[in-house]
Amino acid sequence: MYATLIVVAALWGAATALLLPRAAYRLSVEPEDAWRDSCPAGHPITGPAGGWLGVARCTGCAVAASSSTAESSGSQAEASGIGTDRAAAPVTTASRSETGSETGSETGSEPSLATGSETSSAAGSAAGPAVGPAVGSAVGSVGAVAEPAVEGSGARVRYAPSLPVSLLTALACAVLAAATGPRPELAVWLLLAPFAVLLALVDRNVHRLPDQLTLPLAAAAVVLLGLAALLPDGGGDRTGPGGSWGTALLGGLALGVCYFVLFLINPNGMGFGDVKLALSLGVALGWYGWTVLFVGAFAGFLLGALYGFGLILLRRAGRKSAFPFGPFMIVGALIGILLGALAAA
């Protein structure tokens, strides 16, 4: 029974993780900017739910790359005289060098560095009627144009599927299932886990936790755990709710207040997005009691401190350097939830 539950949870985590890179790419922007609505090459992001659901693959880039490959193959065949009644005209070294420098360097570098709007405008100006086939060969020279990287807030935000994200999300869901067992709160943890991973990705990319995720996550944690608390105990050792909804509410409030005080003391060292994230993490940790809340919160601070000291020892950062704290808060909360679930078992 438990083995099946763990496998199903792992498959759930792997499946939902396929949708995370696209959402993380769209949300990884500065606070004053709107979320991205186009891929790095300038093609609009479309799909269910306004383009939010789907894998991080651009159909337009794939079509352009395949068409350019076919066009390039046809040009090579024609140049070598294959399938023609006469030999192709010789191509001078100067024309090859000129074409390679124009299409390879200019077009090959800009899609990987510019934002979606900048690349879109650049592509629009370059794709006039005068260039025609040059655009196809230029896209072909880019190579994997469907997976370029975009510069954003000092981080490279990729628009491509991520195997590590899938593995980590699947692992997190599997260990949650193994520790919690068939209790009602397991469904809550499995529903919230992909959003927690998404928050960690966005924070890692641009050092911010968007309100579009933190506030709904806190509300969802309260509502879902409230529903779990209403389910009756089935009589088995691991079938009833393993925590208290009232303690969960107080835990979210307590951890949110603690982070808010830290924010007031040192606004440069603690972001307000961390305060909002603390609300949902406090609710989840408080479900299993005050001891679990303290352990999970302390684990997050400890992991963040060890990471910061490691950067200083390696001389990759200074004492005043900033790094995203959200991922450490989430990992610390995961540790606390696992310990609380094992204790409740």
Side-chain angles (χ1 to χ4, degrees), residues 196-253:
V197 175
L198 178 57
L199 277 169
L201 291 175
V202 176
D203 198 15
R204 183 200 63 177
N205 290 338
V206 292
H207 294 194
R208 64 180 294 255
L209 296 166
D211 294 343
Q212 295 93 335
L213 292 177
T214 54
L215 298 179
L217 188 66
V222 171
V223 173
L224 293 176
L225 286 177
L227 294 176
L230 294 176
L231 296 178
D233 192 334
D237 292 337
R238 296 166 63 95
T239 56
S244 169
W245 187 60
T247 308
L249 293 179
L250 294 176
L253 180 61

Side-chain angles (χ1 to χ4, degrees), residues 154-303:
R156 296 181 67 83
V157 184
R158 292 185 57 82
Y159 186 65
S162 175
L163 179 61
V165 172
S166 297
L167 293 178
L168 289 175
T169 309
L171 178 61
C173 292
V175 296
L176 284 170
T180 308
R183 290 188 180 276
E185 63 264 25
L186 175 60
V188 181
W189 307 148
L190 295 181
L191 289 173
L192 299 183
F195 293 97
V197 175
L198 178 57
L199 277 169
L201 291 175
V202 176
D203 198 15
R204 183 200 63 177
N205 290 338
V206 292
H207 294 194
R208 64 180 294 255
L209 296 166
D211 294 343
Q212 295 93 335
L213 292 177
T214 54
L215 298 179
L217 188 66
V222 171
V223 173
L224 293 176
L225 286 177
L227 294 176
L230 294 176
L231 296 178
D233 192 334
D237 292 337
R238 296 166 63 95
T239 56
S244 169
W245 187 60
T247 308
L249 293 179
L250 294 176
L253 180 61
L255 193 60
V257 169
C258 290
Y259 270 83
F260 182 68
V261 172
L262 294 175
F263 169 75
L264 294 178
I265 295 174
N266 186 14
N268 295 327
M270 179 69 65
F272 199 63
D274 298 329
V275 178
K276 299 172 186 176
L277 176 61
L279 294 173
S280 55
L281 298 184
V283 170
L285 291 169
W287 171 261
Y288 289 121
W290 294 106
T291 302
V292 172
L293 174 65
F294 174 80
V295 171
F298 178 77
F301 280 107
L302 180 61
L303 293 173

Side-chain angles (χ1 to χ4, degrees), residues 66-102:
S66 60
S67 62
S68 65
T69 302
E71 189 173 326
S72 176
S73 301
S75 300
Q76 292 178 1
E78 184 178 353
S80 60
I82 299 176
T84 59
D85 295 333
R86 59 182 178 85
V91 179
T92 63
T93 306
S95 64
R96 287 181 180 176
S97 173
E98 183 177 351
T99 305
S101 62
E102 288 181 0

